[in-house]
Amino acid sequence: MPDDFDRMWSDLAPVGRSASTTGYFRQPFTSAERECRAWFVEQCEARDLRVEVDGNGNTVGWWEVSTGSTTGGAVLTGSHLDSVLDGGAYDGPLGVVSALAAIDVLRDRGFAPGRPIAVAAFAEEEGSRFGLACLGSRLAAGTTTPEQARSLTDRDGVRVEDAMAAAGLEPALGRSDWLERVGCFVELHVEQGRDLVDREAPVGVASGIWPHGRYRFDFTGEANHAGTTRMEDRHDPMLTYAMSALAANKQARLAGQRATFGRVEVAPNGTNAVPSRVTAWLDARCRTEVDLAALVGAIEKQAQDRAGRDGTGLVVTAESVSPAVEFDPSLAARLAGDRPVVPTAAGHDAGILSAAGIPTAMLFVRNPTGVSHSPAEHAEIADCHAGVDALADALEELAS
Ligand code: HGY
Ligand code: MN
Ligand code: MN
Protein backbone atom coordinates (compact mmCIF):
# COMPACT_ATOMS: atom_id res chain seq x y z
CA MET A 1 0.00 0.00 0.00
CA PRO A 2 2.55 2.68 0.90
CA ASP A 3 3.89 2.56 -2.63
CA ASP A 4 0.37 3.07 -4.03
CA PHE A 5 -0.03 6.22 -1.95
CA ASP A 6 3.51 7.44 -2.61
CA ARG A 7 3.24 6.86 -6.34
CA MET A 8 -0.10 8.66 -6.61
CA TRP A 9 1.19 11.51 -4.46
CA SER A 10 4.23 12.06 -6.62
CA ASP A 11 2.09 11.77 -9.79
CA LEU A 12 -0.10 14.66 -8.64
CA ALA A 13 2.55 16.82 -6.98
CA PRO A 14 3.71 18.85 -10.01
CA VAL A 15 0.22 19.64 -11.34
CA GLY A 16 -0.61 23.33 -10.88
CA ARG A 17 2.42 24.01 -8.67
CA SER A 18 4.01 27.47 -8.97
CA ALA A 19 7.73 27.35 -9.72
CA SER A 20 8.31 30.56 -7.79
CA THR A 21 6.32 29.93 -4.60
CA THR A 22 5.91 26.09 -4.74
CA GLY A 23 2.26 26.83 -3.88
CA TYR A 24 -0.70 25.47 -5.89
CA PHE A 25 -3.03 27.24 -8.27
CA ARG A 26 -5.70 24.63 -9.02
CA GLN A 27 -8.72 26.89 -9.43
CA PRO A 28 -11.84 25.03 -10.56
CA PHE A 29 -12.29 24.38 -14.29
CA THR A 30 -8.82 25.75 -15.12
CA SER A 31 -6.24 23.64 -16.96
CA ALA A 32 -4.44 22.61 -13.76
CA GLU A 33 -7.61 21.44 -12.04
CA ARG A 34 -8.80 19.80 -15.23
CA GLU A 35 -5.51 17.85 -15.27
CA CYS A 36 -6.10 16.82 -11.65
CA ARG A 37 -9.60 15.62 -12.48
CA ALA A 38 -8.33 13.69 -15.52
CA TRP A 39 -5.73 12.06 -13.28
CA PHE A 40 -8.43 11.14 -10.77
CA VAL A 41 -10.60 9.55 -13.50
CA GLU A 42 -7.58 7.58 -14.71
CA GLN A 43 -6.89 6.31 -11.17
CA CYS A 44 -10.54 5.32 -10.73
CA GLU A 45 -10.56 3.45 -14.04
CA ALA A 46 -7.32 1.72 -13.12
CA ARG A 47 -9.21 0.36 -10.09
CA ASP A 48 -12.33 -0.59 -12.06
CA LEU A 49 -14.32 2.08 -10.24
CA ARG A 50 -17.27 3.23 -12.34
CA VAL A 51 -16.75 6.92 -13.00
CA GLU A 52 -19.68 9.32 -12.79
CA VAL A 53 -19.36 13.05 -13.50
CA ASP A 54 -22.43 15.00 -12.39
CA GLY A 55 -23.72 18.28 -13.83
CA ASN A 56 -22.06 20.28 -11.04
CA GLY A 57 -18.49 19.32 -11.91
CA ASN A 58 -18.20 16.66 -9.18
CA THR A 59 -16.48 13.40 -10.14
CA VAL A 60 -17.30 10.15 -8.34
CA GLY A 61 -15.68 6.70 -8.63
CA TRP A 62 -17.97 3.82 -7.62
CA TRP A 63 -16.87 0.46 -6.20
CA GLU A 64 -20.21 -1.27 -6.81
CA VAL A 65 -21.08 -4.39 -4.86
CA SER A 66 -20.88 -7.44 -7.06
CA THR A 67 -23.50 -9.52 -5.25
CA GLY A 68 -26.77 -8.78 -3.52
CA SER A 69 -29.38 -6.21 -3.90
CA THR A 70 -28.35 -3.09 -2.15
CA THR A 71 -27.43 -0.17 -4.38
CA GLY A 72 -28.19 2.38 -1.68
CA GLY A 73 -26.54 3.08 1.67
CA ALA A 74 -23.25 3.65 -0.10
CA VAL A 75 -20.23 4.68 1.94
CA LEU A 76 -18.83 7.85 0.42
CA THR A 77 -15.29 9.12 0.95
CA GLY A 78 -13.03 11.55 -0.91
CA SER A 79 -12.57 15.33 -0.72
CA HIS A 80 -11.60 18.03 -3.27
CA LEU A 81 -8.79 18.64 -5.78
CA ASP A 82 -9.12 22.41 -6.17
CA SER A 83 -6.91 24.71 -4.11
CA VAL A 84 -6.90 28.25 -2.78
CA LEU A 85 -4.59 30.70 -4.57
CA ASP A 86 -0.99 29.68 -3.80
CA GLY A 87 -2.28 26.89 -1.58
CA GLY A 88 -0.65 23.89 0.03
CA ALA A 89 -0.36 20.42 -1.49
CA TYR A 90 -2.50 18.59 1.04
CA ASP A 91 -5.72 20.57 1.54
CA GLY A 92 -8.13 18.47 -0.51
CA PRO A 93 -5.89 16.13 -2.53
CA LEU A 94 -4.77 14.27 0.58
CA GLY A 95 -8.36 13.11 1.08
CA VAL A 96 -8.77 12.04 -2.53
CA VAL A 97 -5.44 10.19 -2.82
CA SER A 98 -5.93 8.58 0.60
CA ALA A 99 -9.37 7.34 -0.47
CA LEU A 100 -7.91 5.63 -3.55
CA ALA A 101 -5.06 4.19 -1.46
CA ALA A 102 -7.58 2.96 1.15
CA ILE A 103 -9.38 1.05 -1.59
CA ASP A 104 -6.04 -0.54 -2.52
CA VAL A 105 -5.60 -1.55 1.12
CA LEU A 106 -9.08 -3.08 1.27
CA ARG A 107 -8.41 -5.08 -1.86
CA ASP A 108 -5.03 -6.21 -0.48
CA ARG A 109 -7.00 -7.43 2.55
CA GLY A 110 -9.36 -9.34 0.24
CA PHE A 111 -12.28 -7.26 1.48
CA ALA A 112 -15.52 -7.46 -0.49
CA PRO A 113 -17.87 -4.60 0.43
CA GLY A 114 -21.46 -5.43 1.36
CA ARG A 115 -22.52 -1.98 0.16
CA PRO A 116 -21.10 0.35 -2.49
CA ILE A 117 -18.08 2.49 -1.69
CA ALA A 118 -17.64 5.74 -3.61
CA VAL A 119 -14.79 8.24 -3.87
CA ALA A 120 -15.77 11.82 -4.68
CA ALA A 121 -13.71 14.77 -5.90
CA PHE A 122 -16.02 17.72 -5.20
CA ALA A 123 -15.77 20.85 -7.37
CA GLU A 124 -14.81 24.35 -6.14
CA GLU A 125 -14.61 23.46 -2.45
CA GLU A 126 -12.49 26.55 -1.75
CA GLY A 127 -14.74 29.03 -3.49
CA SER A 128 -11.48 30.57 -4.74
CA ARG A 129 -12.83 31.29 -8.23
CA PHE A 130 -16.58 31.88 -7.83
CA GLY A 131 -16.66 33.08 -4.22
CA LEU A 132 -19.06 30.46 -2.80
CA ALA A 133 -17.32 27.82 -0.70
CA CYS A 134 -18.18 24.16 -1.45
CA LEU A 135 -20.05 25.08 -4.66
CA GLY A 136 -20.00 21.53 -6.03
CA SER A 137 -21.27 19.82 -2.88
CA ARG A 138 -23.82 22.61 -2.20
CA LEU A 139 -25.29 22.17 -5.69
CA ALA A 140 -25.26 18.37 -5.39
CA ALA A 141 -27.03 18.51 -2.03
CA GLY A 142 -29.48 21.21 -3.13
CA THR A 143 -28.13 23.66 -0.51
CA THR A 144 -27.48 26.11 -3.34
CA THR A 145 -29.89 26.38 -6.24
CA PRO A 146 -28.86 26.50 -9.92
CA GLU A 147 -30.21 30.06 -10.03
CA GLN A 148 -27.93 31.11 -7.17
CA ALA A 149 -24.96 29.46 -8.89
CA ARG A 150 -25.84 31.16 -12.18
CA SER A 151 -25.53 34.55 -10.47
CA LEU A 152 -21.85 33.87 -9.69
CA THR A 153 -18.91 34.97 -11.85
CA ASP A 154 -15.15 34.83 -11.42
CA ARG A 155 -12.92 37.90 -11.31
CA ASP A 156 -13.01 38.14 -15.11
CA GLY A 157 -16.80 37.96 -15.21
CA VAL A 158 -16.86 34.34 -16.40
CA ARG A 159 -20.01 32.43 -15.32
CA VAL A 160 -19.87 28.99 -13.68
CA GLU A 161 -21.50 27.10 -16.57
CA ASP A 162 -19.29 28.80 -19.16
CA ALA A 163 -16.18 27.91 -17.16
CA MET A 164 -17.37 24.31 -16.85
CA ALA A 165 -18.11 24.03 -20.58
CA ALA A 166 -14.72 25.55 -21.41
CA ALA A 167 -13.15 22.83 -19.24
CA GLY A 168 -14.85 20.09 -21.21
CA LEU A 169 -17.69 19.47 -18.74
CA GLU A 170 -21.43 19.38 -19.48
CA PRO A 171 -23.01 21.70 -16.91
CA ALA A 172 -26.42 20.61 -15.62
CA LEU A 173 -26.59 22.39 -12.29
CA GLY A 174 -28.83 20.98 -9.61
CA ARG A 175 -29.30 18.19 -7.09
CA SER A 176 -27.22 15.14 -7.95
CA ASP A 177 -29.02 11.80 -8.12
CA TRP A 178 -25.90 9.93 -7.05
CA LEU A 179 -26.05 11.60 -3.63
CA GLU A 180 -29.38 9.82 -2.97
CA ARG A 181 -27.41 6.56 -2.89
CA VAL A 182 -25.11 7.75 -0.10
CA GLY A 183 -25.72 6.46 3.43
CA CYS A 184 -22.72 8.11 5.09
CA PHE A 185 -19.65 10.20 4.25
CA VAL A 186 -16.15 10.02 5.73
CA GLU A 187 -13.77 12.77 4.55
CA LEU A 188 -10.06 12.54 5.34
CA HIS A 189 -8.31 15.92 5.42
CA VAL A 190 -4.99 17.38 6.48
CA GLU A 191 -5.39 19.14 9.80
CA GLN A 192 -5.39 22.93 9.38
CA GLY A 193 -3.97 23.72 12.79
CA ARG A 194 -1.73 22.23 15.48
CA ASP A 195 -4.14 20.27 17.68
CA LEU A 196 -2.78 16.86 16.64
CA VAL A 197 0.80 18.12 16.85
CA ASP A 198 0.25 19.28 20.42
CA ARG A 199 -1.43 15.97 21.26
CA GLU A 200 1.31 13.98 19.49
CA ALA A 201 -1.32 12.08 17.51
CA PRO A 202 -0.90 11.22 13.80
CA VAL A 203 -4.65 10.94 13.17
CA GLY A 204 -7.66 12.59 14.78
CA VAL A 205 -11.42 12.83 14.30
CA ALA A 206 -13.41 16.04 13.82
CA SER A 207 -16.16 16.93 16.25
CA GLY A 208 -17.59 19.78 14.22
CA ILE A 209 -17.01 22.93 12.17
CA TRP A 210 -17.34 26.48 13.43
CA PRO A 211 -19.96 28.58 11.64
CA HIS A 212 -18.26 30.99 9.25
CA GLY A 213 -18.92 33.37 6.39
CA ARG A 214 -17.48 35.61 3.69
CA TYR A 215 -18.77 39.19 3.38
CA ARG A 216 -18.02 41.66 0.60
CA PHE A 217 -17.44 45.26 1.76
CA ASP A 218 -17.96 47.79 -1.07
CA PHE A 219 -16.43 51.15 0.00
CA THR A 220 -17.17 54.05 -2.36
CA GLY A 221 -15.60 57.51 -2.28
CA GLU A 222 -14.49 60.37 -4.50
CA ALA A 223 -11.59 59.92 -6.88
CA ASN A 224 -9.29 62.93 -6.82
CA HIS A 225 -5.72 64.15 -7.29
CA ALA A 226 -3.29 62.82 -4.66
CA GLY A 227 -1.37 66.07 -4.63
CA THR A 228 -3.80 68.90 -5.09
CA THR A 229 -6.58 67.57 -2.81
CA ARG A 230 -6.28 68.73 0.81
CA MET A 231 -6.68 65.90 3.37
CA GLU A 232 -9.78 67.56 4.89
CA ASP A 233 -11.45 67.69 1.47
CA ARG A 234 -11.14 64.00 0.72
CA HIS A 235 -13.72 61.19 0.69
CA ASP A 236 -11.20 58.36 0.61
CA PRO A 237 -12.59 54.78 0.60
CA MET A 238 -9.09 53.41 1.26
CA LEU A 239 -9.11 55.16 4.63
CA THR A 240 -12.53 53.74 5.53
CA TYR A 241 -11.35 50.28 4.47
CA ALA A 242 -8.13 50.57 6.50
CA MET A 243 -10.01 51.58 9.64
CA SER A 244 -12.50 48.72 9.05
CA ALA A 245 -9.67 46.20 8.78
CA LEU A 246 -8.24 47.49 12.08
CA ALA A 247 -11.70 47.31 13.67
CA ALA A 248 -12.20 43.72 12.46
CA ASN A 249 -8.89 42.65 13.94
CA LYS A 250 -9.66 44.34 17.26
CA GLN A 251 -13.22 43.02 17.53
CA ALA A 252 -12.10 39.46 16.77
CA ARG A 253 -9.32 39.63 19.36
CA LEU A 254 -11.69 41.04 21.99
CA ALA A 255 -14.25 38.30 21.25
CA GLY A 256 -11.69 35.48 20.95
CA GLN A 257 -12.94 34.73 17.42
CA ARG A 258 -11.46 35.01 13.90
CA ALA A 259 -11.72 37.84 11.33
CA THR A 260 -9.60 38.29 8.21
CA PHE A 261 -9.49 40.74 5.32
CA GLY A 262 -7.31 38.79 2.87
CA ARG A 263 -8.52 40.09 -0.43
CA VAL A 264 -8.80 43.73 -1.59
CA GLU A 265 -9.52 45.31 -5.00
CA VAL A 266 -8.96 49.04 -5.54
CA ALA A 267 -10.27 51.17 -8.40
CA PRO A 268 -8.70 52.71 -10.32
CA ASN A 269 -5.65 51.46 -8.35
CA GLY A 270 -3.50 54.41 -9.40
CA THR A 271 -0.47 55.62 -7.48
CA ASN A 272 -1.24 59.33 -7.65
CA ALA A 273 -5.01 59.40 -7.16
CA VAL A 274 -7.40 59.01 -4.26
CA PRO A 275 -9.35 55.86 -5.19
CA SER A 276 -13.01 55.91 -6.13
CA ARG A 277 -13.76 52.46 -4.82
CA VAL A 278 -12.26 49.78 -2.56
CA THR A 279 -13.80 46.31 -2.39
CA ALA A 280 -12.63 44.05 0.41
CA TRP A 281 -13.72 40.62 1.60
CA LEU A 282 -14.11 39.75 5.27
CA ASP A 283 -13.74 36.09 6.30
CA ALA A 284 -15.27 35.69 9.78
CA ARG A 285 -15.36 32.50 11.87
CA CYS A 286 -16.80 32.02 15.35
CA ARG A 287 -17.59 29.25 17.83
CA THR A 288 -21.33 29.80 17.57
CA GLU A 289 -23.77 31.39 15.14
CA VAL A 290 -24.71 33.96 17.78
CA ASP A 291 -21.03 34.93 18.10
CA LEU A 292 -20.71 35.11 14.31
CA ALA A 293 -23.69 37.44 13.95
CA ALA A 294 -22.38 39.58 16.80
CA LEU A 295 -18.84 39.82 15.42
CA VAL A 296 -19.89 40.63 11.85
CA GLY A 297 -22.46 43.08 13.21
CA ALA A 298 -19.89 44.87 15.34
CA ILE A 299 -17.41 45.12 12.47
CA GLU A 300 -20.06 46.34 10.05
CA LYS A 301 -21.29 48.97 12.54
CA GLN A 302 -17.79 50.36 13.10
CA ALA A 303 -17.17 50.39 9.35
CA GLN A 304 -20.41 52.28 8.71
CA ASP A 305 -19.61 54.78 11.47
CA ARG A 306 -16.21 55.38 9.90
CA ALA A 307 -17.80 55.79 6.47
CA GLY A 308 -20.02 58.46 7.97
CA ARG A 309 -16.98 60.35 9.24
CA ASP A 310 -15.09 59.94 5.94
CA GLY A 311 -18.05 60.91 3.78
CA THR A 312 -17.74 57.58 1.98
CA GLY A 313 -20.34 54.89 1.23
CA LEU A 314 -20.35 51.26 2.37
CA VAL A 315 -22.50 48.32 1.30
CA VAL A 316 -21.88 44.92 2.94
CA THR A 317 -23.03 41.72 1.17
CA ALA A 318 -22.87 38.22 2.63
CA GLU A 319 -21.46 36.06 -0.20
CA SER A 320 -20.93 32.66 1.44
CA VAL A 321 -22.27 31.61 4.84
CA SER A 322 -21.75 28.16 6.37
CA PRO A 323 -23.75 27.11 9.45
CA ALA A 324 -22.31 25.44 12.52
CA VAL A 325 -21.73 21.72 11.92
CA GLU A 326 -21.90 19.01 14.58
CA PHE A 327 -20.72 15.76 12.97
CA ASP A 328 -22.64 12.56 13.64
CA PRO A 329 -21.53 11.72 17.21
CA SER A 330 -21.96 7.96 16.87
CA LEU A 331 -20.02 7.92 13.59
CA ALA A 332 -17.29 10.08 15.12
CA ALA A 333 -17.10 7.75 18.13
CA ARG A 334 -16.84 4.69 15.86
CA LEU A 335 -13.95 6.30 13.98
CA ALA A 336 -12.26 7.79 17.02
CA GLY A 337 -11.26 4.78 19.09
CA ASP A 338 -8.47 6.27 21.23
CA ARG A 339 -7.83 9.06 18.76
CA PRO A 340 -8.40 12.72 19.74
CA VAL A 341 -11.71 14.33 18.70
CA VAL A 342 -11.06 17.95 17.77
CA PRO A 343 -13.08 20.91 16.40
CA THR A 344 -12.09 22.92 13.36
CA ALA A 345 -12.77 26.41 12.02
CA ALA A 346 -12.09 25.26 8.46
CA GLY A 347 -15.02 24.54 6.18
CA HIS A 348 -15.33 21.27 4.26
CA ASP A 349 -17.65 19.44 1.87
CA ALA A 350 -18.23 17.16 4.85
CA GLY A 351 -19.92 20.12 6.52
CA ILE A 352 -22.28 20.60 3.60
CA LEU A 353 -23.28 16.93 3.42
CA SER A 354 -23.69 16.78 7.20
CA ALA A 355 -25.96 19.85 7.13
CA ALA A 356 -27.90 18.15 4.31
CA GLY A 357 -28.67 15.23 6.62
CA ILE A 358 -26.05 12.67 5.55
CA PRO A 359 -24.31 11.10 8.58
CA THR A 360 -20.78 12.43 8.18
CA ALA A 361 -17.42 12.22 9.92
CA MET A 362 -13.92 13.55 9.25
CA LEU A 363 -10.49 12.08 9.83
CA PHE A 364 -7.65 14.58 10.28
CA VAL A 365 -4.01 13.83 9.48
CA ARG A 366 -1.36 15.65 11.54
CA ASN A 367 0.20 18.73 9.96
CA PRO A 368 3.53 19.45 11.70
CA THR A 369 3.53 23.09 10.60
CA GLY A 370 -0.13 23.62 11.53
CA VAL A 371 -0.13 26.00 8.56
CA SER A 372 -2.68 25.76 5.74
CA HIS A 373 -3.82 27.79 2.72
CA SER A 374 -0.09 28.31 2.18
CA PRO A 375 2.81 26.44 0.52
CA ALA A 376 4.06 25.77 4.07
CA GLU A 377 1.21 23.28 4.65
CA HIS A 378 2.69 19.83 5.30
CA ALA A 379 2.06 16.24 6.39
CA GLU A 380 4.75 13.62 6.99
CA ILE A 381 4.48 10.61 4.71
CA ALA A 382 4.28 8.23 7.71
CA ASP A 383 1.28 10.17 9.02
CA CYS A 384 -0.31 10.07 5.56
CA HIS A 385 0.05 6.28 5.59
CA ALA A 386 -1.48 6.20 9.08
CA GLY A 387 -4.38 8.21 7.68
CA VAL A 388 -4.86 5.74 4.84
CA ASP A 389 -4.95 2.82 7.28
CA ALA A 390 -7.45 4.64 9.50
CA LEU A 391 -9.64 5.41 6.48
CA ALA A 392 -9.41 1.81 5.24
CA ASP A 393 -10.48 0.56 8.68
CA ALA A 394 -13.40 2.99 8.70
CA LEU A 395 -14.53 2.00 5.19
CA GLU A 396 -14.21 -1.70 6.01
CA GLU A 397 -16.36 -1.31 9.10
CA LEU A 398 -18.97 0.91 7.46
CA ALA A 399 -19.23 -1.04 4.19
CA SER A 400 -19.35 -4.50 5.69
O1 HGY B 1 -12.01 28.11 3.87
C1 HGY B 1 -12.08 27.04 4.43
O2 HGY B 1 -12.32 26.97 5.59
C2 HGY B 1 -11.84 25.76 3.67
O3 HGY B 1 -10.47 25.53 3.62
N1 HGY B 1 -12.42 25.78 2.38
MN1 MN C 1 -9.06 24.90 2.24
MN1 MN D 1 -10.13 21.53 2.14
PDB file of all heavy atoms in Angstrom, residues 21-35:
ATOM      1  N   THR A  21       6.690  29.996  -6.028  1.00  0.00           N
ATOM      2  CA  THR A  21       6.318  29.925  -4.600  1.00  0.00           C
ATOM      3  C   THR A  21       6.216  28.493  -4.090  1.00  0.00           C
ATOM      4  O   THR A  21       6.113  28.262  -2.891  1.00  0.00           O
ATOM      5  CB  THR A  21       4.922  30.556  -4.398  1.00  0.00           C
ATOM      6  OG1 THR A  21       3.963  29.686  -5.061  1.00  0.00           O
ATOM      7  CG2 THR A  21       4.838  31.952  -4.982  1.00  0.00           C
ATOM      8  N   THR A  22       6.197  27.524  -5.012  1.00  0.00           N
ATOM      9  CA  THR A  22       5.912  26.090  -4.738  1.00  0.00           C
ATOM     10  C   THR A  22       4.482  25.892  -4.206  1.00  0.00           C
ATOM     11  O   THR A  22       4.119  24.798  -3.808  1.00  0.00           O
ATOM     12  CB  THR A  22       6.893  25.450  -3.714  1.00  0.00           C
ATOM     13  OG1 THR A  22       6.583  25.970  -2.399  1.00  0.00           O
ATOM     14  CG2 THR A  22       8.344  25.773  -4.043  1.00  0.00           C
ATOM     15  N   GLY A  23       3.676  26.980  -4.265  1.00  0.00           N
ATOM     16  CA  GLY A  23       2.261  26.834  -3.885  1.00  0.00           C
ATOM     17  C   GLY A  23       1.435  26.393  -5.081  1.00  0.00           C
ATOM     18  O   GLY A  23       1.918  26.364  -6.217  1.00  0.00           O
ATOM     19  N   TYR A  24       0.168  26.030  -4.845  1.00  0.00           N
ATOM     20  CA  TYR A  24      -0.700  25.467  -5.888  1.00  0.00           C
ATOM     21  C   TYR A  24      -1.779  26.442  -6.339  1.00  0.00           C
ATOM     22  O   TYR A  24      -2.350  27.179  -5.537  1.00  0.00           O
ATOM     23  CB  TYR A  24      -1.331  24.168  -5.373  1.00  0.00           C
ATOM     24  CG  TYR A  24      -0.318  23.045  -5.336  1.00  0.00           C
ATOM     25  CD1 TYR A  24       0.526  22.876  -4.238  1.00  0.00           C
ATOM     26  CD2 TYR A  24      -0.141  22.209  -6.432  1.00  0.00           C
ATOM     27  CE1 TYR A  24       1.493  21.890  -4.218  1.00  0.00           C
ATOM     28  CE2 TYR A  24       0.826  21.210  -6.421  1.00  0.00           C
ATOM     29  CZ  TYR A  24       1.640  21.061  -5.325  1.00  0.00           C
ATOM     30  OH  TYR A  24       2.618  20.082  -5.318  1.00  0.00           O
ATOM     31  N   PHE A  25      -1.971  26.441  -7.655  1.00  0.00           N
ATOM     32  CA  PHE A  25      -3.035  27.243  -8.270  1.00  0.00           C
ATOM     33  C   PHE A  25      -3.913  26.288  -9.059  1.00  0.00           C
ATOM     34  O   PHE A  25      -3.702  26.072 -10.258  1.00  0.00           O
ATOM     35  CB  PHE A  25      -2.424  28.325  -9.161  1.00  0.00           C
ATOM     36  CG  PHE A  25      -1.679  29.393  -8.375  1.00  0.00           C
ATOM     37  CD1 PHE A  25      -0.379  29.182  -7.955  1.00  0.00           C
ATOM     38  CD2 PHE A  25      -2.311  30.584  -8.030  1.00  0.00           C
ATOM     39  CE1 PHE A  25       0.297  30.154  -7.210  1.00  0.00           C
ATOM     40  CE2 PHE A  25      -1.643  31.559  -7.285  1.00  0.00           C
ATOM     41  CZ  PHE A  25      -0.326  31.333  -6.877  1.00  0.00           C
ATOM     42  N   ARG A  26      -4.811  25.612  -8.387  1.00  0.00           N
ATOM     43  CA  ARG A  26      -5.705  24.633  -9.024  1.00  0.00           C
ATOM     44  C   ARG A  26      -7.135  25.141  -8.915  1.00  0.00           C
ATOM     45  O   ARG A  26      -7.992  24.538  -8.260  1.00  0.00           O
ATOM     46  CB  ARG A  26      -5.586  23.270  -8.324  1.00  0.00           C
ATOM     47  CG  ARG A  26      -4.219  22.593  -8.485  1.00  0.00           C
ATOM     48  CD  ARG A  26      -4.051  21.423  -7.553  1.00  0.00           C
ATOM     49  NE  ARG A  26      -2.839  20.642  -7.818  1.00  0.00           N
ATOM     50  CZ  ARG A  26      -2.349  19.726  -6.987  1.00  0.00           C
ATOM     51  NH1 ARG A  26      -2.974  19.485  -5.845  1.00  0.00           N
ATOM     52  NH2 ARG A  26      -1.259  19.052  -7.292  1.00  0.00           N
ATOM     53  N   GLN A  27      -7.373  26.316  -9.504  1.00  0.00           N
ATOM     54  CA  GLN A  27      -8.722  26.886  -9.434  1.00  0.00           C
ATOM     55  C   GLN A  27      -9.647  26.028 -10.285  1.00  0.00           C
ATOM     56  O   GLN A  27      -9.211  25.440 -11.293  1.00  0.00           O
ATOM     57  CB  GLN A  27      -8.674  28.334  -9.924  1.00  0.00           C
ATOM     58  CG  GLN A  27      -8.321  29.342  -8.794  1.00  0.00           C
ATOM     59  CD  GLN A  27      -7.080  28.952  -8.014  1.00  0.00           C
ATOM     60  OE1 GLN A  27      -5.971  28.813  -8.535  1.00  0.00           O
ATOM     61  NE2 GLN A  27      -7.300  28.701  -6.715  1.00  0.00           N
ATOM     62  N   PRO A  28     -10.923  25.933  -9.868  1.00  0.00           N
ATOM     63  CA  PRO A  28     -11.838  25.028 -10.558  1.00  0.00           C
ATOM     64  C   PRO A  28     -11.975  25.365 -12.040  1.00  0.00           C
ATOM     65  O   PRO A  28     -12.002  26.530 -12.425  1.00  0.00           O
ATOM     66  CB  PRO A  28     -13.162  25.222  -9.825  1.00  0.00           C
ATOM     67  CG  PRO A  28     -13.037  26.502  -9.111  1.00  0.00           C
ATOM     68  CD  PRO A  28     -11.591  26.678  -8.800  1.00  0.00           C
ATOM     69  N   PHE A  29     -12.024  24.298 -12.851  1.00  0.00           N
ATOM     70  CA  PHE A  29     -12.287  24.385 -14.295  1.00  0.00           C
ATOM     71  C   PHE A  29     -11.177  25.158 -15.021  1.00  0.00           C
ATOM     72  O   PHE A  29     -11.399  25.647 -16.124  1.00  0.00           O
ATOM     73  CB  PHE A  29     -13.669  25.016 -14.565  1.00  0.00           C
ATOM     74  CG  PHE A  29     -14.745  24.509 -13.633  1.00  0.00           C
ATOM     75  CD1 PHE A  29     -15.567  25.380 -12.936  1.00  0.00           C
ATOM     76  CD2 PHE A  29     -14.907  23.136 -13.414  1.00  0.00           C
ATOM     77  CE1 PHE A  29     -16.535  24.911 -12.045  1.00  0.00           C
ATOM     78  CE2 PHE A  29     -15.880  22.660 -12.539  1.00  0.00           C
ATOM     79  CZ  PHE A  29     -16.691  23.544 -11.856  1.00  0.00           C
ATOM     80  N   THR A  30      -9.991  25.223 -14.398  1.00  0.00           N
ATOM     81  CA  THR A  30      -8.820  25.747 -15.124  1.00  0.00           C
ATOM     82  C   THR A  30      -8.014  24.538 -15.599  1.00  0.00           C
ATOM     83  O   THR A  30      -8.297  23.395 -15.218  1.00  0.00           O
ATOM     84  CB  THR A  30      -7.923  26.567 -14.185  1.00  0.00           C
ATOM     85  OG1 THR A  30      -7.470  25.682 -13.130  1.00  0.00           O
ATOM     86  CG2 THR A  30      -8.662  27.739 -13.564  1.00  0.00           C
ATOM     87  N   SER A  31      -6.972  24.779 -16.384  1.00  0.00           N
ATOM     88  CA  SER A  31      -6.238  23.639 -16.955  1.00  0.00           C
ATOM     89  C   SER A  31      -5.600  22.787 -15.860  1.00  0.00           C
ATOM     90  O   SER A  31      -5.609  21.555 -15.941  1.00  0.00           O
ATOM     91  CB  SER A  31      -5.175  24.151 -17.934  1.00  0.00           C
ATOM     92  OG  SER A  31      -4.279  24.999 -17.230  1.00  0.00           O
ATOM     93  N   ALA A  32      -5.092  23.404 -14.820  1.00  0.00           N
ATOM     94  CA  ALA A  32      -4.437  22.615 -13.758  1.00  0.00           C
ATOM     95  C   ALA A  32      -5.451  21.707 -13.069  1.00  0.00           C
ATOM     96  O   ALA A  32      -5.205  20.512 -12.856  1.00  0.00           O
ATOM     97  CB  ALA A  32      -3.784  23.540 -12.737  1.00  0.00           C
ATOM     98  N   GLU A  33      -6.607  22.264 -12.737  1.00  0.00           N
ATOM     99  CA  GLU A  33      -7.607  21.437 -12.037  1.00  0.00           C
ATOM    100  C   GLU A  33      -8.187  20.401 -12.973  1.00  0.00           C
ATOM    101  O   GLU A  33      -8.475  19.270 -12.572  1.00  0.00           O
ATOM    102  CB  GLU A  33      -8.690  22.355 -11.475  1.00  0.00           C
ATOM    103  CG  GLU A  33      -9.645  21.681 -10.505  1.00  0.00           C
ATOM    104  CD  GLU A  33     -10.981  21.354 -11.148  1.00  0.00           C
ATOM    105  OE1 GLU A  33     -11.161  21.658 -12.352  1.00  0.00           O
ATOM    106  OE2 GLU A  33     -11.813  20.773 -10.457  1.00  0.00           O
ATOM    107  N   ARG A  34      -8.284  20.756 -14.245  1.00  0.00           N
ATOM    108  CA  ARG A  34      -8.796  19.798 -15.235  1.00  0.00           C
ATOM    109  C   ARG A  34      -7.817  18.610 -15.329  1.00  0.00           C
ATOM    110  O   ARG A  34      -8.231  17.458 -15.386  1.00  0.00           O
ATOM    111  CB  ARG A  34      -8.915  20.496 -16.588  1.00  0.00           C
ATOM    112  CG  ARG A  34      -9.520  19.624 -17.660  1.00  0.00           C
ATOM    113  CD  ARG A  34      -9.683  20.402 -18.955  1.00  0.00           C
ATOM    114  NE  ARG A  34     -10.388  19.597 -19.945  1.00  0.00           N
ATOM    115  CZ  ARG A  34     -10.739  20.047 -21.152  1.00  0.00           C
ATOM    116  NH1 ARG A  34     -10.473  21.292 -21.500  1.00  0.00           N
ATOM    117  NH2 ARG A  34     -11.364  19.258 -22.010  1.00  0.00           N
ATOM    118  N   GLU A  35      -6.528  18.920 -15.226  1.00  0.00           N
ATOM    119  CA  GLU A  35      -5.505  17.854 -15.271  1.00  0.00           C
ATOM    120  C   GLU A  35      -5.614  16.976 -14.020  1.00  0.00           C
ATOM    121  O   GLU A  35      -5.510  15.756 -14.088  1.00  0.00           O
ATOM    122  CB  GLU A  35      -4.122  18.498 -15.362  1.00  0.00           C
ATOM    123  CG  GLU A  35      -3.011  17.549 -15.777  1.00  0.00           C
ATOM    124  CD  GLU A  35      -1.651  18.248 -15.883  1.00  0.00           C
ATOM    125  OE1 GLU A  35      -1.615  19.486 -16.173  1.00  0.00           O
ATOM    126  OE2 GLU A  35      -0.637  17.565 -15.650  1.00  0.00           O
TER     127      GLU A  35
END
